[in-house]
Amino acid sequence: MPVTDTDLFLPVRLGPYQLANRIVMAPLTRSRAGAGDVPRPMAAKYYGQRASAGLIISEATQISPQGKGYAWTPGIHSTEQVAGWKAVTAAVHAKGSRIFLQLWHVGRISHPDLQPGGALPVAPSAIRPNVEAFTETGLKPTVTPRALEVSELPGIVDDYRRACENALQAGFDGVEVHAANGYLLDQFLRDGANRRTDAYGGSVENRVRFPLEVTRAAIAVCGADRVGIRISPINSRNDLVDSNPEPVFTHLVDRLNDFGIAYIHVIEGVTGGPREVEGGFDLGKLRTRFGGLYMANNGYTLDLALAARRQNKADLIAFGKPFISNPDLVARLARNAPLSAPDPATFYGGDEHGYTDYPELETA
Ligand code: 8OZ
């Protein structure tokens, strides 16, 4: 039975683009890049297979060698990487979809094995996260990062700026600033990782400063209507907490609203986990403060997505894991057809198995 009486499958405006529907493929790390952190040709096949999504957000992509924190993730800082991504954006555009690049600097969620010259990972403050890093030779405990000098911050903003220029050159339709899940920008936002006593730490205004400088750089390159941001306000992923997230994220969203960016992409709850979090706050407050599009993510089913649209709680719904195992997810949702379950053993690393070989419904 086709699902009617919803606008989930109807076109919607995002900045300069008319998206085919309100369903977004969420950014998904798959750790399958080749030598030089270059996307391999199979990435073009994978993203092309999923291009019935109104919008695709690329997997998190390092803006610089320093920004890398996981084995075999792709970058957007070399000419070879730009060439690799061109095949991806061409495959997506050939199917009539749009694709934004997710800009990633991991900060302290890394390991010297993954850093240029075996350097220490960098962070707002020298506080070790209690997690393991995913290196080419397996999981390793993280080390205490080096606190960034204030004089180094403009160089990182420049790395973001160059990454945006490269993204446009590679054919991306826009960029998403990754400020979620405990990586560098989230580390600046939260007092669990940011103990700085300069202009980038302490007060809420100071902690949002660096993420806003990065967003401004992205806007300068792409235009505000082709920039989005991903946040996870009530998430403790990657050992990152805040004593009081609500004022941080309401202030951040107010400033982003002033900038006029295209969307905020909100991970509702714990990434990949429960949607309700003890000590959290009502994320609906962020939606009402923001004039652009609100993209909701985390554990959405068809029913939750239909309800979110019916109650106007979100403009766009991002699906993650269901897109791994259902390349034709939009068609399946539109028919309320069964979804196939993804195999976690093939989430990270490897070849086309578990990547481009999930069948569509007709052949399943
Ligand atoms: C899963 C595995 C590795 C990285 C995130 C980029 O949490 C990630 C990620 C997810 O945002």
Side-chain angles (χ1 to χ4, degrees):
M1 277 278 280
V3 179
T4 52
D5 194 26
T6 178
D7 62 3
L8 196 56
F9 306 103
L10 300 180
V12 62
R13 196 93 197 151
L14 173 85
Y17 308 116
Q18 181 88 345
L19 307 182
N21 55 63
R22 292 172 181 267
I23 294 169
V24 178
M25 178 177 167
L28 291 159
T29 289
R30 306 303 308 274
S31 283
R32 282 168 165 85
D37 300 342
V38 174
R40 291 195 274 168
M42 65 176 174
K45 186 172 169 190
Y46 163 78
Y47 282 106
Q49 286 172 340
R50 286 153 181 79
S52 57
L55 176 69
I56 293 174
I57 317 289
S58 82
E59 64 207 272
T61 299
Q62 52 258 11
I63 58 153
S64 64
Q66 183 193 67
K68 181 175 181 178
Y70 294 77
W72 310 300
T73 50
I76 188 73
H77 51 83
S78 77
T79 47
E80 294 77 13
Q81 291 161 359
V82 169
W85 281 119
K86 270 185 185 159
V88 171
T89 60
V92 170
H93 291 153
K95 298 266 194 75
S97 186
R98 297 290 180 179
I99 181 165
F100 278 33
L101 176 99
Q102 198 192 44
L103 300 163
W104 198 24
H105 189 309
V106 297
R108 64 183 189 164
I109 307 300
S110 186
H111 189 278
D113 286 6
L114 295 159
Q115 290 289 307
L120 286 177
V122 297
S125 301
I127 302 169
R128 190 182 80 82
N130 188 19
V131 295
E132 291 185 308
F134 180 64
T135 78
E136 291 192 12
T137 51
L139 291 174
K140 296 189 180 176
T142 49
V143 299
T144 301
R146 179 176 69 77
L148 285 161
E149 302 289 338
V150 72
S151 60
E152 291 176 272
L153 299 180
I156 297 180
V157 174
D158 280 342
D159 290 339
Y160 274 97
R161 184 177 298 116
R162 263 191 302 274
C164 292
E165 289 163 0
N166 289 345
L168 295 185
Q169 214 197 321
F172 284 97
D173 299 297
V175 296
E176 176 174 286
V177 176
H178 193 344
N181 291 344
Y183 300 111
L184 182 68
L185 301 182
D186 207 11
Q187 291 158 30
F188 270 90
L189 289 174
R190 295 172 190 264
D191 58 16
N194 184 347
R195 305 275 168 78
R196 299 180 75 93
T197 54
D198 58 16
Y200 292 89
S203 67
V204 165
E205 288 75 14
N206 281 356
R207 282 187 276 147
V208 303
R209 191 180 308 280
F210 188 61
L212 290 179
E213 286 177 357
V214 166
T215 307
R216 244 187 250 111
I219 291 170
V221 176
C222 301
D225 60 349
R226 296 195 292 173
V227 172
I229 192 169
R230 195 173 207 220
I231 54 176
S232 53
I234 54 172
N235 183 20
S236 54
R237 189 171 154 83
N238 282 321
D239 193 27
L240 187 56
V241 292
D242 194 274
S243 57
N244 189 12
E246 182 171 344
V248 179
F249 285 92
T250 51
H251 183 75
L252 176 70
V253 166
D254 285 348
R255 295 288 78 75
L256 295 170
N257 192 49
D258 298 340
F259 289 175
I261 63 168
Y263 70 85
I264 56 172
H265 180 179
V266 182
I267 301 172
E268 299 170 337
V270 176
T271 308
R275 291 177 49 79
E276 304 298 331
V277 177
E278 213 183 311
F281 66 96
D282 175 17
L283 298 173
K285 291 181 186 173
L286 302 182
R287 175 174 183 49
T288 48
R289 296 175 96 92
F290 186 69
L293 298 187
Y294 179 101
M295 184 188 298
N297 174 244
N298 208 29
Y300 272 84
T301 59
L302 174 62
D303 284 346
L304 275 176
L306 293 172
R309 281 307 301 148
R310 212 173 294 127
Q311 298 159 21
N312 199 24
K313 284 184 172 170
D315 300 296
L316 303 166
I317 311 291
F319 291 84
K321 280 180 231 162
F323 257 117
I324 290 180
S325 47
N326 300 276
D328 55 343
L329 181 66
V330 174
R332 293 199 200 204
L333 295 175
R335 291 160 56 178
N336 199 9
L339 303 186
S340 52
D343 175 10
T346 53
F347 279 180
Y348 309 114
D351 52 20
E352 301 221 17
H353 177 53
Y355 191 55
T356 56
D357 63 354
Y358 283 106
E360 298 196 353
L361 191 59
E362 281 66 25
T363 55

